[in-house]
């Protein structure tokens, strides 16, 4: 076999050709079109089917091109050449880039050590500012100030797939988190109480997908059947900031992931002392594992546990007394603290907080009476059913004041808020990748996007603004492109409010570097 090269309209193309011998004569056999020659010496070609790729004639094999490879620009002038873009969307990308540099989070992003930092920065911005799939990234880049802010970015769809594989590598992930943990330690408030300061929140969320790789599995989570993989997030309790992420196959149940999640945190230098867990994570085995690791925890206990049944049986009848009444979130809740033992080992002391939410009880009472006739329920049946309405048990290995137990436990709602950011602003769904390698990069970029959105949301907490409104309004501020500078259009009041919220000055003009001129 050999590669036959041909030049058409000034461009060189390659075709793999097999020689066929018939007696003394040799003729051409099967031919495989490789496409346009990009780098002849290194065997790099490009065609519509494969995009950019490497071909090795000796082994007749194809491989991907290094993600940091920069494809030479086509300098050939034709009458069909695109007109230059003279006005670009400016405000949203300028504010975002300025905020990331000013806040210091960009240092953690740069720690990924991806060779083409323009591509990395552009992808982070694309994940934050748009809801489009990655196949539209190049169009976004060409029509916004990102093209001049990150001039060397490789935003073609196939180049992004190659970049995701590198960005999501284990080495890149470790470098990012090492720098990110330093960044979080600088944000830590010195006056936080120890009860809050050393805590983490752990929860998981399903990511539905139909991609055929081992991580996609049928999941039965809380009775909901779906094909998915599961994403685990760890959140810093006192700041609500995302701390770490893992992912597992969709059919892996939550209770089996807690010990490995804690182990990975420790391996990364995060030695937590307190964890707040969803009910799905609590088992006797996990309780022992956490306590053996020196980690106190708080979790909601499922109603089928023996400890739960004993606490309810012994203490529910005398729960609703004045001394046990607590107001939380505009609800009347009766709470009683009862010492108990947990885990499978002996003498594991803890505290069970038996709770009865009267709002939930009253709603349950209405529903029970409404269905009594349809289901032929007796008054005795309704009474038995109502005894369970609004009842739940929170177990804690730390003794906490009764009036503080619910505010402390429901800090875990911050994880749900993080997942909302992740799935909406962070663009984690839909999953549109072809391999686990690119999935890892997708999850890494989503995590970074979620971190930045959380930081920006915190800045806007005492304003009427949201990150969505900020980016939507600023996307409409443009920059007019001249040979030597950009001149920005006048920001309206909503745009000025956004700049002011982040203490960023909108420039009238920006000098354009001549080496960035196309």
């Amino acid at each position: 076999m050999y590669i036959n090269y041909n030049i058409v309209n000034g461009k060189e193309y390659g075709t793999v050709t097999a020689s066929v011998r018939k007696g003394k004569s040799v003729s051409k056999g099967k031919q495989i079109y490789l496409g346009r020659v990009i780098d002849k010496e290194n065997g790099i070609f490009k065609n519509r089917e494969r995009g950019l790729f490497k071909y090795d004639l000796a082994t007749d094999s194809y491989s991907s091109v290094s993600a940091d490879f920069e494809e030479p620009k086509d300098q050939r002038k034709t009458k069909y050449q695109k007109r230059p873009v003279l006005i670009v969307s400016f405000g949203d990308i300028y504010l975002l880039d300025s905020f990331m540099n000013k806040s210091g989070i960009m240092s953690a992003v740069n720690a990924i050590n991806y060779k083409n930092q323009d591509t990395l920065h552009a992808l982070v911005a694309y994940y934050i500012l748009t809801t489009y799939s990655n196949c539209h990234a190049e169009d976004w880049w060409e029509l916004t100030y990102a093209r001049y802010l990150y001039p060397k970015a490789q935003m073609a769809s196939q180049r992004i797939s190659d970049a995701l594989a590198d960005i999501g590598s284990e080495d890149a992930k470790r470098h990012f988190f090492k720098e990110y943990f330093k960044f979080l330690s600088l944000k830590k408030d010195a006056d936080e109480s120890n009860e809050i300061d050393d805590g983490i929140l752990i929860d998981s969320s399903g990511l539905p997908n139909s991609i055929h790789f081992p991580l996609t599995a049928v999941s039965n989570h809380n009775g909901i059947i779906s094909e998915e993989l599961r994403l685990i997030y760890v959140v810093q309790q006192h700041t609500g900031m995302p701390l770490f992420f893992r992912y597992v196959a969709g059919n892996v149940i939550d209770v089996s992931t807690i010990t490995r999640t804690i182990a990975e945190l420790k391996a990364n230098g995060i030695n937590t002392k307190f964890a707040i867990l969803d009910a799905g994570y609590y088992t006797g085995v996990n309780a022992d594992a956490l306590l053996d690791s020196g980690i106190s925890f708080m979790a909601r206990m499922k109603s089928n546990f023996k400890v739960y049944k004993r606490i309810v049986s012994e203490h529910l009848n005398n729960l609703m007394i004045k001394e046990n009444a607590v107001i939380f979130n505009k609800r009347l809740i009766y709470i009683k603290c009862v010492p108990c033992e947990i885990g499978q080992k002996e003498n594991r002391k803890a505290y069970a907080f038996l709770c009865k939410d009267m709002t939930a009880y009253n709603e349950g009472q209405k529903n029970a009476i409404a269905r009594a006739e349809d289901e032929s329920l007796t008054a005795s049946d309704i009474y038995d059913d109502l005894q369970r309405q609004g009842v739940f048990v929170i177990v804690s290995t730390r003794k906490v004041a009764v009036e503080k137990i619910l505010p402390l436990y429901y800090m875990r709602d911050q994880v749900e808020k993080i997942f909302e950011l992740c799935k909406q602003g962070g663009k984690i769904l839909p999953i549109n990748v072809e391999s686990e390698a690119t999935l890892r990069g997708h999850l890494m970029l989503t995590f970074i996007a979620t971190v930045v959105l959380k930081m920006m949301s915190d800045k806007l907490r005492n304003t009427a603004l949201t990150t969505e409104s900020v980016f939507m309004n600023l996307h409409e501020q443009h920059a007019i492109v001249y040979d030597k500078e950009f001149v920005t259009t006048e920001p309206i009041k909503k745009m000025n409010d956004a700049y002011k919220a982040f203490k960023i000055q909108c420039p009238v003009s920006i000098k354009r570097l001549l080496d960035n001129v196309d």
Side-chain angles (χ1 to χ4, degrees), residues 88-144:
V88 295
S89 179
F90 171 80
D92 54 350
I93 182 65
Y94 179 80
L95 176 79
L96 176 63
D97 184 78
S98 299
F99 173 79
M100 291 183 67
N101 282 289
K102 182 179 178 180
S103 65
I105 189 61
M106 193 68 90
S107 62
V109 175
N110 291 338
I112 290 174
N113 204 26
Y114 185 68
K115 290 182 179 179
N116 189 333
Q117 285 202 342
D118 279 2
T119 297
L120 175 62
H121 294 170
L123 281 174
V124 170
Y126 184 68
Y127 267 62
I128 294 172
L129 297 176
T130 80
T131 58
Y132 310 127
S133 64
N134 288 344
C135 64
H136 300 296
E138 191 168 29
D139 294 332
W140 168 84
W141 176 77
E142 288 183 345
L143 296 173
T144 69

Side-chain angles (χ1 to χ4, degrees), residues 380-399:
S380 178
D381 293 332
I382 295 174
Y383 177 84
D384 291 339
D385 181 58
L386 287 177
Q387 299 311 299
R388 297 186 294 271
Q389 295 296 328
V391 175
F392 59 96
V393 175
I394 296 173
V395 62
S396 173
T397 57
R398 289 182 178 182
K399 190 169 185 179

Side-chain angles (χ1 to χ4, degrees), residues 446-486:
T446 301
F447 182 88
I448 295 170
T450 305
V451 166
V452 175
L453 287 169
K454 168 61 178 170
M455 291 169 60
M456 298 186 81
S457 295
D458 288 347
K459 287 285 186 182
L460 298 173
R461 187 174 296 161
N462 297 321
T463 73
L465 302 172
T466 65
T467 54
E468 292 88 350
S469 67
V470 164
F471 291 140
M472 179 181 68
N473 288 319
L474 285 178
H475 183 74
E476 300 305 318
Q477 185 191 20
H478 297 85
I480 305 169
V481 184
Y482 291 95
D483 290 342
K484 296 183 179 181
E485 65 179 343
F486 303 92

Side-chain angles (χ1 to χ4, degrees), residues 404-437:
K404 292 183 179 180
I405 189 67
L406 292 180
L408 187 56
Y409 176 74
Y410 281 103
M411 280 188 173
R412 63 173 300 279
D413 288 346
Q414 293 181 85
V415 187
E416 297 300 326
K417 293 176 182 177
I418 291 300
F419 279 130
E420 286 179 16
L421 282 177
C422 184
K423 292 181 178 181
Q424 296 174 11
K427 207 179 67 170
I428 200 168
L429 292 175
I431 296 176
N432 187 23
V433 295
E434 297 178 353
S435 66
E436 184 174 353

Side-chain angles (χ1 to χ4, degrees), residues 226-467:
S226 62
E227 270 197 324
E228 64 182 26
L229 61 90
R230 293 205 69 77
L231 177 65
I232 302 166
Y233 260 42
V234 180
V235 172
Q236 196 175 36
Q237 188 179 324
H238 75 286
T239 63
M241 288 290 292
L243 186 65
F244 192 69
F245 77 90
R246 296 179 65 231
Y247 62 92
V248 295
N251 57 356
V252 175
I253 58 176
D254 286 345
V255 293
S256 65
T257 63
I258 186 67
T259 53
R260 286 177 175 81
T261 300
I262 295 294
E264 277 214 61
L265 285 174
K266 284 191 172 182
N268 279 277
I270 303 297
N271 295 307
T272 186
K273 297 178 182 178
F274 185 60
I276 299 179
L277 312 173
D278 182 45
Y281 288 102
Y282 179 78
T283 64
V285 172
N286 281 344
D288 288 333
L290 290 168
L291 291 171
D292 288 343
S293 299
I295 301 172
S296 300
F297 68 90
M298 179 185 294
R300 188 162 173 167
M301 190 178 290
K302 290 185 176 180
S303 60
N304 60 342
F305 280 76
K306 291 181 180 179
V307 177
Y308 180 100
K309 292 178 179 179
R310 181 182 65 79
I311 296 295
V312 170
S313 174
E314 294 179 2
H315 299 279
L316 184 60
N317 288 338
N318 60 1
L319 174 63
M320 296 171 61
I321 60 176
K322 182 170 64 174
E323 290 76 14
N324 295 337
V326 172
I327 299 294
F328 173 70
N329 200 21
K330 298 181 180 179
R331 291 173 176 242
L332 174 64
I333 302 177
Y334 292 95
I335 306 175
K336 184 177 182 180
C337 178
V338 181
C340 65
E341 291 188 359
I342 59 173
Q344 296 185 333
K345 297 181 180 180
E346 294 182 356
N347 299 319
R348 295 288 200 182
K349 303 296 183 182
Y351 302 90
F353 292 83
L354 176 62
C355 309
K356 184 157 187 172
D357 181 349
M358 296 309 296
T359 300
Y361 171 82
N362 292 331
E363 291 174 354
Q365 185 179 38
K366 293 178 182 178
N367 293 334
I369 294 174
R371 72 174 194 274
E373 185 175 345
D374 292 337
E375 299 179 17
S376 300
L377 298 177
T378 66
S380 178
D381 293 332
I382 295 174
Y383 177 84
D384 291 339
D385 181 58
L386 287 177
Q387 299 311 299
R388 297 186 294 271
Q389 295 296 328
V391 175
F392 59 96
V393 175
I394 296 173
V395 62
S396 173
T397 57
R398 289 182 178 182
K399 190 169 185 179
V400 181
V402 168
E403 64 273 12
K404 292 183 179 180
I405 189 67
L406 292 180
L408 187 56
Y409 176 74
Y410 281 103
M411 280 188 173
R412 63 173 300 279
D413 288 346
Q414 293 181 85
V415 187
E416 297 300 326
K417 293 176 182 177
I418 291 300
F419 279 130
E420 286 179 16
L421 282 177
C422 184
K423 292 181 178 181
Q424 296 174 11
K427 207 179 67 170
I428 200 168
L429 292 175
I431 296 176
N432 187 23
V433 295
E434 297 178 353
S435 66
E436 184 174 353
T438 52
L439 171 69
R440 288 168 64 94
H442 176 66
L443 295 181
M444 174 62 85
L445 288 176
T446 301
F447 182 88
I448 295 170
T450 305
V451 166
V452 175
L453 287 169
K454 168 61 178 170
M455 291 169 60
M456 298 186 81
S457 295
D458 288 347
K459 287 285 186 182
L460 298 173
R461 187 174 296 161
N462 297 321
T463 73
L465 302 172
T466 65
T467 54

